[in-house]
Coordinates of all heavy atoms in Angstrom, one line a residue:
M1 N 265.6 39.0 23.7 CA 265.1 39.8 24.7 C 265.9 39.9 26.0 O 266.5 38.9 26.4 CB 263.7 39.3 25.1 CG 262.6 39.7 24.0 SD 262.4 41.5 23.8 CE 261.4 41.5 22.3
K2 N 266.0 41.1 26.5 CA 266.7 41.2 27.8 C 265.8 40.4 28.9 O 264.6 40.4 28.8 CB 266.8 42.6 28.2 CG 267.8 43.4 27.2 CD 267.8 44.9 27.8 CE 268.7 45.7 26.7 NZ 268.5 47.1 27.0
P3 N 266.4 40.1 30.1 CA 265.7 39.7 31.2 C 264.8 40.8 31.8 O 265.2 41.9 31.6 CB 266.7 39.1 32.1 CG 267.9 39.9 31.8 CD 267.9 40.1 30.4
P4 N 263.7 40.4 32.4 CA 263.0 41.5 32.9 C 263.5 42.3 34.1 O 263.5 41.8 35.2 CB 261.6 40.8 33.4 CG 262.0 39.4 33.5 CD 263.1 39.1 32.6
I5 N 264.1 43.4 33.8 CA 264.6 44.3 34.7 C 264.0 45.7 34.4 O 264.1 46.2 33.3 CB 266.2 44.3 34.6 CG1 266.8 43.1 35.1 CG2 266.7 45.5 35.5 CD1 268.3 43.0 34.9
C6 N 263.4 46.3 35.4 CA 262.7 47.5 35.2 C 263.6 48.7 34.6 O 264.6 48.9 35.2 CB 262.0 48.0 36.5 SG 261.0 49.5 36.2
A7 N 263.1 49.3 33.5 CA 264.0 50.3 32.9 C 264.0 51.7 33.8 O 264.9 52.4 33.7 CB 263.3 50.8 31.5
I8 N 263.1 51.7 34.9 CA 263.2 52.8 35.7 C 263.9 52.7 37.0 O 264.8 53.4 37.3 CB 261.7 53.3 35.9 CG1 260.9 53.6 34.8 CG2 261.7 54.4 37.0 CD1 261.5 54.7 33.9
C9 N 263.6 51.6 37.7 CA 264.2 51.4 39.0 C 265.2 50.3 39.0 O 265.8 50.0 40.0 CB 263.1 51.1 40.2 SG 262.0 49.6 39.7
H10 N 265.4 49.5 37.8 CA 266.3 48.6 37.7 C 266.2 47.3 38.6 O 267.1 46.7 39.0 CB 267.8 49.2 37.9 CG 268.0 50.3 36.9 ND1 268.1 50.2 35.5 CD2 268.1 51.6 37.1 CE1 268.2 51.3 34.9 NE2 268.3 52.2 35.9
K11 N 265.0 47.2 39.1 CA 264.7 46.1 39.8 C 264.4 44.8 39.0 O 263.7 45.1 37.9 CB 263.4 46.3 40.6 CG 263.6 46.6 42.1 CD 262.4 46.6 43.0 CE 261.1 47.1 42.4 NZ 260.2 47.8 43.4
R12 N 265.0 43.7 39.4 CA 264.6 42.5 38.5 C 263.3 42.0 39.1 O 263.0 42.1 40.3 CB 265.7 41.5 38.7 CG 265.6 40.4 37.7 CD 266.6 39.4 38.0 NE 266.5 38.4 36.9 CZ 267.5 38.3 36.0 NH1 268.5 39.0 36.0 NH2 267.3 37.3 35.0
F13 N 262.4 41.7 38.3 CA 261.1 41.2 38.7 C 260.6 39.9 38.0 O 261.0 39.6 36.9 CB 260.0 42.3 38.6 CG 259.9 42.8 37.2 CD1 258.8 42.3 36.4 CD2 260.6 43.9 36.7 CE1 258.7 42.7 35.1 CE2 260.4 44.2 35.3 CZ 259.5 43.7 34.6
E14 N 259.6 39.3 38.6 CA 259.0 38.1 37.9 C 258.0 38.5 37.1 O 257.1 39.5 37.5 CB 258.5 37.1 39.0 CG 259.6 36.7 40.0 CD 260.5 35.7 39.3 OE1 260.1 34.9 38.5 OE2 261.8 35.8 39.6
L15 N 257.7 37.9 36.0 CA 256.6 38.2 35.1 C 255.3 37.5 35.7 O 255.0 36.4 35.2 CB 256.8 37.8 33.7 CG 257.8 38.7 32.9 CD1 258.2 38.1 31.7 CD2 257.1 40.1 32.7
T16 N 254.6 38.3 36.5 CA 253.5 37.7 37.1 C 252.3 38.6 36.9 O 252.4 39.8 37.2 CB 253.6 37.4 38.6 OG1 254.1 38.7 39.2 CG2 254.6 36.3 38.9
G17 N 251.2 38.1 36.3 CA 250.1 38.9 36.1 C 250.3 39.8 35.0 O 251.4 39.9 34.3
D18 N 249.3 40.8 34.8 CA 249.4 41.7 33.5 C 249.7 43.1 34.0 O 249.5 44.1 33.4 CB 248.2 41.5 32.7 CG 246.9 41.8 33.5 OD1 246.9 42.1 34.7 OD2 245.8 41.6 33.0
D19 N 250.2 43.2 35.3 CA 250.5 44.6 35.6 C 252.0 45.0 35.6 O 252.5 45.9 36.3 CB 250.0 44.9 37.2 CG 250.5 43.9 38.1 OD1 251.3 42.9 37.7 OD2 250.4 44.2 39.3
C20 N 252.7 44.1 34.9 CA 254.2 44.3 34.6 C 254.5 43.7 33.3 O 253.7 42.8 32.9 CB 255.0 43.8 35.8 SG 254.8 42.0 36.1
G21 N 255.6 44.2 32.7 CA 255.9 43.5 31.4 C 256.7 44.5 30.5 O 257.1 45.5 30.8
L22 N 256.6 44.1 29.2 CA 257.3 44.9 28.1 C 256.3 45.9 27.5 O 255.2 45.4 27.2 CB 257.8 43.8 27.1 CG 258.8 44.2 26.1 CD1 260.1 44.6 26.8 CD2 259.1 43.2 25.1
I23 N 256.8 47.1 27.4 CA 256.0 48.0 26.6 C 256.8 48.5 25.4 O 258.0 48.7 25.4 CB 255.9 49.4 27.6 CG1 255.1 49.0 28.8 CG2 255.3 50.5 26.8 CD1 253.6 49.1 28.7
Y24 N 256.0 48.6 24.3 CA 256.6 49.0 23.1 C 256.2 50.5 22.8 O 255.0 50.7 22.8 CB 256.1 48.2 21.9 CG 256.7 46.8 21.9 CD1 256.0 45.8 22.7 CD2 257.8 46.4 21.3 CE1 256.6 44.4 22.7 CE2 258.4 45.2 21.2 CZ 257.8 44.2 22.0 OH 258.4 43.0 22.0
F25 N 257.2 51.3 22.8 CA 256.8 52.8 22.6 C 256.7 53.0 21.1 O 257.1 52.2 20.2 CB 257.9 53.6 23.2 CG 257.9 53.5 24.6 CD1 258.6 52.6 25.3 CD2 257.1 54.3 25.4 CE1 258.5 52.4 26.7 CE2 257.0 54.2 26.8 CZ 257.6 53.2 27.5
R26 N 256.4 54.3 20.8 CA 256.2 54.8 19.3 C 257.7 54.7 18.7 O 258.6 55.1 19.3 CB 255.7 56.2 19.4 CG 255.4 56.8 18.1 CD 255.3 58.3 18.2 NE 254.9 58.8 17.0 CZ 253.8 59.4 16.8 NH1 252.9 59.5 17.7 NH2 253.4 59.9 15.5
K27 N 257.6 54.3 17.5 CA 259.0 54.1 16.9 C 259.5 55.4 16.2 O 258.7 56.2 15.6 CB 258.8 53.1 15.7 CG 258.6 51.7 16.2 CD 258.5 50.8 15.0 CE 258.1 49.4 15.4 NZ 257.8 48.5 14.3
R28 N 260.7 55.7 16.5 CA 261.4 56.9 15.9 C 262.0 56.4 14.5 O 262.0 55.2 14.3 CB 262.5 57.5 16.8 CG 262.1 58.0 18.1 CD 263.2 57.8 19.2 NE 263.5 56.4 19.4 CZ 264.5 56.0 20.3 NH1 265.2 56.8 20.9 NH2 264.7 54.7 20.5
Q29 N 262.5 57.3 13.8 CA 263.0 56.9 12.6 C 264.2 55.9 12.8 O 264.2 54.9 12.0 CB 263.6 58.1 11.7 CG 264.1 57.8 10.3 CD 263.0 57.0 9.5 OE1 261.9 57.5 9.4 NE2 263.4 55.9 8.8
S30 N 265.0 56.2 13.8 CA 266.1 55.3 14.0 C 265.5 53.9 14.4 O 266.2 52.8 14.2 CB 267.0 55.7 15.2 OG 266.2 55.9 16.4
D31 N 264.4 53.8 15.0 CA 263.8 52.5 15.4 C 263.3 51.7 14.2 O 263.4 50.5 14.1 CB 262.7 52.6 16.4 CG 263.2 53.2 17.7 OD1 264.3 52.9 18.1 OD2 262.4 54.0 18.3
I32 N 262.7 52.5 13.2 CA 262.3 51.9 12.0 C 263.3 51.3 11.2 O 263.3 50.2 10.7 CB 261.4 52.9 11.2 CG1 260.1 53.3 11.9 CG2 261.1 52.4 9.7 CD1 259.5 54.6 11.5
D33 N 264.5 52.2 11.3 CA 265.8 51.7 10.6 C 266.3 50.4 11.3 O 266.7 49.5 10.6 CB 266.8 52.7 10.6 CG 266.5 54.0 9.8 OD1 265.5 53.8 9.0 OD2 267.1 55.0 10.0
W34 N 266.2 50.4 12.6 CA 266.6 49.2 13.3 C 265.9 48.0 12.9 O 266.4 46.8 12.6 CB 266.5 49.5 14.8 CG 267.1 48.5 15.8 CD1 268.3 48.4 16.3 CD2 266.4 47.2 16.2 NE1 268.5 47.2 17.0 CE2 267.3 46.5 17.0 CE3 265.0 46.8 16.2 CZ2 267.0 45.4 17.7 CZ3 264.7 45.6 16.8 CH2 265.6 45.0 17.6
D35 N 264.5 48.1 12.9 CA 263.6 47.0 12.4 C 264.0 46.4 11.2 O 264.2 45.2 10.9 CB 262.2 47.4 12.5 CG 261.5 47.4 13.7 OD1 262.0 46.8 14.7 OD2 260.4 47.8 13.8
K36 N 264.2 47.4 10.1 CA 264.7 47.0 8.8 C 266.0 46.3 8.8 O 266.1 45.3 8.1 CB 264.8 48.4 8.0 CG 264.7 48.2 6.6 CD 264.3 49.5 5.9 CE 264.7 49.4 4.4 NZ 266.1 50.1 4.1
R37 N 266.9 46.8 9.5 CA 268.2 46.1 9.7 C 268.1 44.7 10.2 O 268.8 43.8 9.7 CB 269.1 47.0 10.6 CG 270.7 46.9 10.1 CD 271.3 48.1 10.7 NE 271.3 48.3 12.1 CZ 270.8 49.4 12.7 NH1 270.5 50.4 12.0 NH2 270.8 49.4 14.0
M38 N 267.4 44.5 11.2 CA 267.1 43.2 11.9 C 266.5 42.3 10.8 O 267.0 41.1 10.8 CB 266.4 43.4 13.1 CG 267.0 43.9 14.3 SD 268.3 42.8 14.9 CE 269.3 43.8 15.8
K39 N 265.5 42.8 10.2 CA 264.8 41.9 9.2 C 265.8 41.5 8.0 O 265.8 40.3 7.7 CB 263.7 42.7 8.6 CG 262.5 41.9 8.3 CD 261.2 42.7 7.9 CE 260.3 41.9 7.1 NZ 259.2 42.7 6.5
E40 N 266.5 42.4 7.6 CA 267.5 42.2 6.5 C 268.6 41.2 6.9 O 268.9 40.3 6.1 CB 268.2 43.5 6.0 CG 267.2 44.3 5.1 CD 267.8 45.7 4.9 OE1 268.9 46.0 5.4 OE2 267.1 46.5 4.4
T41 N 269.1 41.3 8.2 CA 270.1 40.4 8.6 C 269.7 39.1 9.2 O 270.5 38.3 9.5 CB 271.2 41.2 9.5 OG1 270.4 41.6 10.6 CG2 271.8 42.4 8.8
G42 N 268.4 39.1 9.7 CA 267.9 37.9 10.3 C 268.4 37.9 11.8 O 268.2 36.9 12.4
A43 N 268.9 39.0 12.2 CA 269.4 39.1 13.6 C 268.2 39.2 14.6 O 267.2 39.7 14.2 CB 270.4 40.1 13.8
I44 N 268.4 38.9 15.8 CA 267.5 39.0 16.8 C 268.0 39.9 17.9 O 269.2 39.6 18.4 CB 267.0 37.7 17.4 CG1 266.3 36.9 16.2 CG2 266.0 37.9 18.6 CD1 266.0 35.6 16.6
G45 N 267.3 40.9 18.4 CA 267.9 41.7 19.5 C 266.8 42.3 20.2 O 265.6 42.3 19.8
H46 N 267.1 43.0 21.3 CA 266.1 43.7 22.0 C 265.8 45.1 21.4 O 266.7 45.9 21.2 CB 266.6 44.0 23.6 CG 265.6 44.6 24.4 ND1 264.7 43.9 25.2 CD2 265.2 45.9 24.6 CE1 263.9 44.7 25.8 NE2 264.3 45.9 25.5
P47 N 264.5 45.3 21.0 CA 264.2 46.5 20.3 C 264.4 47.7 21.1 O 264.2 47.8 22.3 CB 262.6 46.4 20.0 CG 262.2 44.9 20.2 CD 263.3 44.5 21.2
P48 N 265.2 48.8 20.5 CA 265.6 49.9 21.2 C 264.3 50.7 21.6 O 264.5 51.7 22.5 CB 266.5 50.7 20.2 CG 266.0 50.2 18.8 CD 265.6 48.7 19.0
Y49 N 263.2 50.5 21.1 CA 261.9 51.1 21.4 C 261.0 50.4 22.4 O 259.9 50.8 22.6 CB 261.2 51.6 20.2 CG 260.9 50.4 19.3 CD1 259.8 49.5 19.5 CD2 261.8 50.1 18.3 CE1 259.6 48.4 18.7 CE2 261.6 49.0 17.5 CZ 260.6 48.2 17.6 OH 260.3 47.1 16.9
A50 N 261.6 49.4 23.0 CA 260.9 48.6 24.0 C 261.5 48.4 25.3 O 262.8 48.5 25.3 CB 260.7 47.2 23.5
A51 N 260.9 48.4 26.4 CA 261.4 48.4 27.8 C 260.6 47.6 28.7 O 259.3 47.6 28.5 CB 261.8 49.7 28.2
W52 N 261.2 47.0 29.6 CA 260.5 46.2 30.7 C 260.1 47.2 31.9 O 260.9 48.2 32.2 CB 261.4 45.2 31.4 CG 261.8 44.0 30.4 CD1 262.9 43.9 29.9 CD2 260.9 42.9 30.1 NE1 262.9 42.6 29.2 CE2 261.6 42.2 29.2 CE3 259.5 42.6 30.4 CZ2 261.2 40.9 28.7 CZ3 259.0 41.5 29.8 CH2 259.8 40.7 29.1
F53 N 259.0 47.0 32.4 CA 258.6 47.8 33.6 C 258.0 46.9 34.7 O 257.1 46.0 34.4 CB 257.5 48.9 33.1 CG 258.1 49.8 32.3 CD1 258.0 49.6 30.8 CD2 258.9 50.9 32.7 CE1 258.5 50.7 29.9 CE2 259.4 51.9 31.8 CZ 259.3 51.6 30.6
C54 N 258.3 47.2 35.9 CA 257.8 46.5 37.0 C 256.4 46.9 37.3 O 256.1 47.9 36.8 CB 258.8 46.7 38.3 SG 258.7 48.2 39.0
K55 N 255.8 46.4 38.3 CA 254.4 46.7 38.5 C 254.1 48.2 39.1 O 253.2 48.8 39.0 CB 253.7 45.8 39.5 CG 254.3 45.6 40.9 CD 253.6 44.6 41.7 CE 254.2 44.1 42.8 NZ 254.9 45.2 43.7
D56 N 255.4 48.8 39.6 CA 255.3 50.3 40.1 C 255.3 51.1 38.9 O 254.9 52.2 39.1 CB 256.5 50.4 41.0 CG 256.5 49.7 42.3 OD1 255.4 49.3 42.8 OD2 257.5 49.3 42.8
H57 N 255.9 50.8 37.7 CA 256.0 51.7 36.7 C 255.3 51.4 35.5 O 255.3 52.1 34.5 CB 257.6 51.7 36.4 CG 258.2 52.5 37.5 ND1 259.2 51.7 38.3 CD2 258.2 53.7 38.1 CE1 259.7 52.5 39.4 NE2 259.0 53.7 39.1
Y58 N 254.8 50.1 35.4 CA 254.1 49.7 34.2 C 252.9 50.4 33.7 O 252.7 50.8 32.6 CB 253.7 48.1 34.4 CG 253.1 47.6 33.1 CD1 253.9 47.0 32.1 CD2 251.7 47.4 33.0 CE1 253.4 46.5 31.0 CE2 251.2 46.9 31.8 CZ 251.9 46.4 30.8 OH 251.5 45.9 29.7
K59 N 252.1 50.9 34.7 CA 250.8 51.6 34.4 C 251.2 52.9 33.6 O 250.7 53.3 32.7 CB 250.0 51.8 35.7 CG 248.6 52.2 35.4 CD 247.8 52.1 36.7 CE 246.4 52.8 36.5 NZ 246.6 54.2 36.7
R60 N 252.1 53.6 34.4 CA 252.5 54.9 33.7 C 253.2 54.8 32.5 O 252.9 55.5 31.4 CB 253.5 55.6 34.8 CG 254.0 56.9 34.4 CD 252.8 57.9 34.4 NE 253.5 59.3 34.2 CZ 252.7 60.3 33.5 NH1 251.4 60.0 33.0 NH2 253.3 61.5 33.4
A61 N 254.0 53.7 32.4 CA 254.7 53.5 30.9 C 253.6 53.2 29.9 O 253.7 53.7 28.8 CB 255.6 52.2 31.2
A62 N 252.6 52.4 30.3 CA 251.4 52.1 29.3 C 250.8 53.4 28.9 O 250.4 53.5 27.7 CB 250.5 51.1 29.8
E63 N 250.6 54.3 29.8 CA 249.9 55.6 29.5 C 250.7 56.4 28.4 O 250.2 57.1 27.6 CB 249.7 56.3 30.7 CG 248.6 55.9 31.7 CD 248.6 56.6 32.9 OE1 249.4 57.7 33.1 OE2 247.9 56.3 33.8
L64 N 252.1 56.3 28.4 CA 252.9 57.0 27.7 C 253.4 56.3 26.4 O 254.4 56.8 25.9 CB 254.1 57.5 28.5 CG 253.6 58.5 29.7 CD1 254.8 58.8 30.5 CD2 253.1 59.8 29.1
Q65 N 252.9 55.2 26.1 CA 253.6 54.4 25.0 C 253.3 54.9 23.7 O 253.9 54.5 22.7 CB 253.0 52.9 25.1 CG 251.7 52.6 24.8 CD 251.3 51.1 25.0 OE1 251.9 50.4 24.4 NE2 250.2 50.8 25.8
N66 N 252.5 56.0 23.6 CA 252.3 56.7 22.3 C 253.4 57.6 22.0 O 253.5 58.2 21.0 CB 250.9 57.2 22.0 CG 250.7 58.4 23.1 OD1 251.2 58.2 24.2 ND2 249.8 59.3 22.9
L67 N 254.3 57.8 23.0 CA 255.5 58.6 22.9 C 256.7 57.8 22.4 O 256.7 56.7 22.7 CB 255.8 59.4 24.2 CG 254.8 60.3 24.8 CD1 255.2 60.9 26.1 CD2 254.5 61.5 23.8
S68 N 257.7 58.4 21.9 CA 258.9 57.6 21.8 C 259.7 57.4 23.1 O 259.4 58.1 24.1 CB 259.8 58.4 20.8 OG 260.2 59.7 21.3
I69 N 260.5 56.4 23.2 CA 260.9 55.8 24.5 C 261.9 56.9 25.0 O 261.8 57.1 26.4 CB 261.8 54.6 24.2 CG1 262.1 54.0 25.6 CG2 263.1 54.7 23.4 CD1 262.5 52.4 25.4
D70 N 262.6 57.8 24.3 CA 263.5 58.8 24.8 C 262.7 59.9 25.5 O 263.1 60.7 26.3 CB 264.5 59.3 23.8 CG 263.9 59.8 22.5 OD1 262.7 59.3 22.2 OD2 264.4 60.6 21.8
R71 N 261.5 60.2 25.1 CA 260.6 61.2 25.7 C 259.9 60.6 26.9 O 259.7 61.3 27.8 CB 259.7 61.7 24.7 CG 260.3 62.6 23.6 CD 259.2 63.3 22.7 NE 258.3 64.1 23.6 CZ 257.1 64.4 23.3 NH1 256.6 64.0 22.2 NH2 256.4 65.2 24.0
A72 N 259.5 59.4 26.8 CA 258.6 58.7 27.7 C 259.3 58.4 29.1 O 258.9 58.7 30.1 CB 258.0 57.4 27.2
L73 N 260.6 57.9 28.9 CA 261.3 57.5 30.1 C 261.5 58.6 31.1 O 261.3 58.3 32.3 CB 262.7 56.8 29.8 CG 262.6 55.4 29.2 CD1 264.1 54.9 29.0 CD2 261.8 54.4 30.0
P74 N 261.9 59.7 30.8 CA 262.1 60.8 31.8 C 260.8 61.1 32.5 O 260.8 61.4 33.7 CB 262.6 62.0 31.0 CG 263.3 61.4 29.8 CD 262.5 60.3 29.4
M75 N 259.6 61.1 31.8 CA 258.4 61.4 32.3 C 258.0 60.3 33.3 O 257.3 60.5 34.3 CB 257.4 61.5 31.3 CG 257.6 62.8 30.4 SD 256.5 62.9 28.9 CE 254.9 63.2 29.7
I76 N 258.3 59.0 32.9 CA 258.0 58.0 34.0 C 258.8 58.0 35.2 O 258.3 57.8 36.3 CB 258.1 56.6 33.2 CG1 257.4 56.5 32.0 CG2 257.9 55.4 34.2 CD1 257.8 55.4 31.0
R77 N 260.1 58.5 35.0 CA 261.0 58.6 36.1 C 260.5 59.6 37.1 O 260.9 59.7 38.3 CB 262.3 59.0 35.7 CG 263.2 57.8 35.2 CD 264.7 58.2 35.2 NE 265.3 57.2 34.3 CZ 265.5 57.3 33.1 NH1 265.3 58.5 32.4 NH2 266.1 56.3 32.4
E78 N 259.7 60.6 36.7 CA 259.1 61.7 37.6 C 258.3 61.2 38.7 O 258.0 61.8 39.7 CB 258.4 62.7 36.8 CG 259.4 63.7 36.1 CD 258.7 64.5 35.1 OE1 257.5 64.8 35.3 OE2 259.3 65.2 34.2
I79 N 257.7 60.0 38.6 CA 257.0 59.4 39.7 C 257.7 59.1 40.9 O 258.8 58.5 40.8 CB 256.3 58.0 39.2 CG1 255.5 58.1 37.9 CG2 255.4 57.5 40.4 CD1 255.1 56.7 37.4
I80 N 257.4 59.7 42.0 CA 258.1 59.4 43.3 C 257.2 58.4 44.1 O 256.1 58.6 44.3 CB 258.1 60.7 44.2 CG1 258.6 61.9 43.3 CG2 259.0 60.5 45.4 CD1 260.0 61.9 43.0
L81 N 258.0 57.3 44.3 CA 257.3 56.3 45.1 C 257.3 56.4 46.5 O 258.3 56.9 47.1 CB 257.9 54.8 44.7 CG 257.7 54.4 43.2 CD1 258.5 53.2 43.0 CD2 256.2 54.2 43.1
Ligands
ZN101 ZN1 260.2 49.9 38.3

């Protein structure tokens, strides 16, 4: 796993409480293939369909986790802080 750095604002943050953390998005075919490849080779890596979010972006990311990551990220970025 990557260290917790927000996928939107690239801020490094501490994992405190449940208002920040890792979000798993809907898997695309390429993500399903990735899972399969990892399982077959026994390798461990950061899933391409998962990303960290700080407390400023976690809530919005959680709302959009039924989308694939490539669709969700631009929508999360639209939030102006
Ligand atoms: Zn953030």
